[in-house]
Amino acid sequence: AHVTRRRRVQAVHGACLVVSAADFAALDGFDPHFVNGQEDIDFCFRLRTATGKHVVVAPDSTVIHLEGQTRGYNRHNRQNRLLFVERWKDQIVADARSVYAEDGFDVAAFTPDSDEYAKRGIAVHTPTLRRNS
């Protein structure tokens, strides 16, 4: 629902990532330390940091992605998230509320994903959305 307008974002998922081969090669592609998850988001952060280029949502594109179809998907979520947040914690911007608000949604609540993250000082939450009246 929050892809109805063109805008800069911190990152996009690899299922809908379009990047030049030259930029992908210059950054050595996806970091193999991430196992089937977060490598695409990490790449967006590395691209922005290394080149100054921005990640932009293109709402006129259509992507059909069958998420979770890869064998072993979710098996390494914990390690991937911890690595990502440890690497980028100083550059992650909490922007969910403003991004959703631009498209007419409020965040009714954020549900913590795991106490394990909190023990390491990492806040990972899933938003519950409601349409603005």
Side-chain angles (χ1 to χ4, degrees), residues 19-31 43 46-47 50-51 53:
V19 64
S20 74
D23 283 341
F24 194 76
L27 294 174
D28 295 324
F30 295 128
D31 184 333
F43 180 82
R46 289 189 294 122
L47 179 70
T51 69
K53 293 182 179 180

Side-chain angles (χ1 to χ4, degrees), residues 7-124:
R7 74 173 121 235
R8 286 184 186 175
V9 292
Q10 295 177 75
V12 294
H13 287 285
C16 60
L17 177 67
V18 177
V19 64
S20 74
D23 283 341
F24 194 76
L27 294 174
D28 295 324
F30 295 128
D31 184 333
H33 289 100
F34 294 97
V35 181
N36 195 21
Q38 296 289 146
E39 68 278 358
D40 45 2
I41 309 302
D42 172 74
F43 180 82
C44 291
F45 274 67
R46 289 189 294 122
L47 179 70
R48 191 178 65 225
T49 301
T51 69
K53 293 182 179 180
H54 299 281
V55 178
V56 177
V57 169
D60 53 334
S61 61
T62 301
V63 176
I64 298 172
H65 175 54
L66 303 176
E67 186 173 358
Q69 300 299 306
T70 304
R71 190 178 311 211
Y73 181 75
N74 288 332
R75 185 178 302 156
H76 302 282
N77 277 357
R78 182 180 154 287
Q79 303 94 295
N80 289 335
R81 284 182 176 178
L82 291 172
L83 174 59
F84 177 80
V85 172
E86 286 172 6
R87 180 177 288 177
W88 297 108
K89 64 185 168 195
D90 295 332
Q91 294 185 44
I92 298 170
V93 177
D95 62 356
R97 287 186 191 279
S98 62
V99 170
Y100 290 125
E102 287 178 15
D103 286 335
F105 291 91
D106 284 325
V107 177
F110 283 104
T111 306
D113 282 359
S114 169
D115 287 338
E116 177 133 4
Y117 296 121
K119 290 176 190 173
R120 298 195 59 181
I122 299 169
V124 178

